[in-house]
Amino acid sequence: MNSHYTIALHILTMIAFHTSRSDQYLSSEKIAGSVNTNSVFIRRILGKLKKAQLVNVHRGGVEGGWKLARPADVITLLDVYTAVEKKPLFEMHYSLPNEKCPIGCSIQSSLKVYYGNAEAAMKDQLRENTIADLLKKTLNYTAEKRMKASGALLDQLGNEIG
């Protein structure tokens, strides 16, 4: 799986955070700054998300940008996966295995069972979680990091004073 899915989740989580604090559209440039990548790449992924009706775009210069098309608590991680990933989770050989070999003639049939079960379990997990869940978890981790950083700073100041 490539990173497009992870980037799409980052994008939607950032839009959800931004629009929960303001009713304005979020620019692809601001999103690109958070992801630390090119805004053209961000717009390509946003195009897939728009096609899947997960985001809306407003073209309007300074006020232009992106918003969620639905509330964050109804967009599942599976919705995003389906919008961005078009290939199966696991792919078979690029060239057909040797049909005369006792392993080569049946390995793909055997693997399809395992791969199908693994992909179904993954999709079940993604179906149970939303962008709102991801935003909440992300903000909790951010708060923890900031508390640890401020605690370390206080320790450092205490050592310098004492």
Side-chain angles (χ1 to χ4, degrees):
M1 189 182 326
N2 63 35
S3 66
H4 292 195
Y5 177 60
T6 299
I7 302 299
L9 291 172
H10 185 143
I11 290 168
L12 293 173
T13 304
M14 184 166 177
I15 293 172
F17 174 71
H18 179 79
T19 56
S20 72
R21 305 170 77 202
S22 163
D23 193 36
Q24 297 175 342
Y25 287 81
L26 186 61
S27 74
S28 54
E29 287 77 18
K30 283 189 179 182
I31 297 167
S34 177
V35 177
N36 202 21
T37 192
N38 187 300
S39 60
V40 173
F41 175 65
I42 295 299
R43 283 191 291 274
R44 273 192 226 129
I45 294 177
L46 282 161
K48 292 178 183 182
L49 298 173
K50 182 179 182 328
K51 187 175 180 180
Q53 300 178 337
L54 299 177
V55 294
N56 292 322
V57 63
H58 173 68
R59 301 186 197 287
V62 176
E63 295 179 12
W66 303 86
K67 278 189 182 180
L68 298 181
R70 300 183 290 212
D73 61 353
V74 298
I75 300 174
T76 70
L77 303 188
L78 181 59
D79 294 332
V80 182
Y81 178 80
T82 304
V84 176
E85 296 296 334
K86 299 303 178 196
K87 294 181 178 181
L89 183 60
F90 301 104
E91 293 186 20
M92 292 296 165
H93 306 76
Y94 287 109
S95 59
L96 289 177
N98 184 345
E99 286 290 319
K100 294 178 183 172
C101 171
I103 302 301
C105 71
S106 297
I107 189 71
Q108 289 187 343
S109 297
S110 300
L111 287 173
K112 283 180 184 178
V113 173
Y114 293 113
Y115 290 175
N117 290 340
E119 190 162 350
M122 180 198 74
K123 286 181 176 180
D124 286 344
Q125 179 66 34
L126 296 178
R127 187 179 292 111
E128 293 176 11
N129 296 281
T130 67
I131 293 297
D133 297 330
L134 180 57
L135 175 58
K136 182 178 178 183
K137 185 173 286 290
T138 301
L139 292 176
N140 285 341
Y141 281 131
T142 298
E144 285 178 23
K145 282 184 175 183
R146 288 183 176 166
M147 286 179 61
K148 285 180 185 177
S150 59
L153 182 60
L154 288 175
D155 289 345
Q156 183 181 1
L157 287 172
N159 290 338
E160 290 176 9
I161 293 171

